[in-house]
Amino acid sequence: MNYGYEKFLTSVGFTLDEECNLFSPIGVTYKINAQEMDGYYWFYTNDYFSVNIHDFNVKKDIIVNHTQDDLSDTYVSISYIKSVHGECLTPYQSVTDNMTFTYFHKKGVFRFLLHGGYPYFSVGIEYKEKFIAEFVEKTSNLDKEVLEDAFQQLNSLEEIPEIQKIADDILSYDKNFPASEIYYEVKAKELLNIAINRYFERKESKAKISLQDDISLDNVCKYINDHYSSDISQDLLCKIALMSKTKLKDSFKRKYNMSITEYIQRRRINVAEHMLIATNLNISEVARAVGYNSHSRFSTLFKKYKGNLPQEAKKFSFY
């Protein structure tokens, strides 16, 4: 059965590897050993969905870009990214280790920046239009708009243990087991159930936030985005939101699925990563610029959210 990405894989230098025994023989393995990267791409596909594993070592900065025309039968891709150092450029989104990445296959060009010197390792499931039509729309009361919202809500920097477990199950599955087709179908439906369940749980939780409070929380985020490098006091945020500390803390976590502190830290580290690569500032200067006077604290948080140390990111500076 044809797989939409095969044309793209061969166009960037991948070749079919029929001797590879790292993955399940029910699928197909491509390999690459080029100036930009080396490693493997494995996939299993049927009429309803595909499963893929990316296992690359990226040697130097590259921009991966391709059109979506070859995947016209694919509705959405959901990947659990175990290791990455880069950014999705269209649409722009920061990516980091242990995150769930959702991408809807619509016409246009997909671009992804991968930084050299780091591994890219992920496990993904691609749902085809036929799967959506026969397994979702006909067997449930969910329309496509609701389903799209459910999948989109998985697109988050937060770690989702249930999805990590599905990825680990696929990776650890006995590659020679004869009933692999059934196993992968179970995992595809399991991931679908997680998306739908989390959507309604979050919808119920968000329903507890009034429209005015929702606007107030957006104002808090806008303030943080503009003043992330400053020492932001919770008292000031409470005044902006017109909420008590307890209410602000609980409401913020309910809406954004992370604490205010984590939101500030992620904002600072994302800006710092860009500054390390795109400016000639040294690490200490970047740390101070985003609000950290302690080099060790900055390095600890950078490692936490980016999976590597600042000096490793600095190696790939444009200057």
Side-chain angles (χ1 to χ4, degrees), residues 98-154:
N98 302 313
M99 74 169 286
T100 301
F101 181 77
T102 302
Y103 183 75
F104 291 93
H105 291 262
K106 300 174 181 177
K107 288 187 176 181
V109 177
F110 175 79
R111 291 186 177 90
F112 206 105
L113 170 64
L114 294 174
H115 293 305
Y118 302 96
Y120 178 76
F121 196 103
S122 70
V123 179
I125 296 177
E126 297 156 0
Y127 294 94
K128 300 183 180 182
E129 294 283 358
K130 189 174 181 179
F131 181 95
I132 301 302
E134 295 187 16
F135 285 94
V136 180
E137 294 175 344
K138 286 186 179 179
T139 59
S140 71
N141 294 322
L142 295 178
D143 58 33
K144 214 166 186 178
E145 184 177 345
V146 171
L147 188 64
E148 184 165 331
D149 287 343
F151 281 132
Q152 187 62 54
Q153 284 191 4
L154 295 179

Side-chain angles (χ1 to χ4, degrees), residues 261-309:
T261 298
E262 182 180 351
Y263 187 94
I264 294 171
Q265 290 173 346
R266 286 188 180 278
R267 171 69 173 159
R268 287 176 169 180
I269 297 304
N270 283 339
V271 173
E273 181 184 39
H274 173 75
M275 293 177 71
L276 287 169
I277 296 171
T279 74
N280 59 1
L281 297 175
N282 62 41
I283 295 173
S284 295
E285 289 171 329
V286 169
R288 288 194 295 272
V290 298
Y292 295 110
N293 292 319
S294 167
H295 186 282
S296 61
R297 177 62 174 164
F298 174 66
S299 295
T300 297
L301 290 172
F302 198 94
K303 175 71 173 177
K304 176 181 178 181
Y305 293 121
K306 294 299 177 181
N308 60 286
L309 293 170

Side-chain angles (χ1 to χ4, degrees), residues 24-27 44 173-185:
S24 171
I26 194 177
Y44 160 74
Y173 181 63
D174 185 345
K175 60 180 178 292
N176 295 311
F177 196 72
S180 296
E181 298 99 326
I182 298 174
Y183 184 82
Y184 294 135
E185 181 178 326

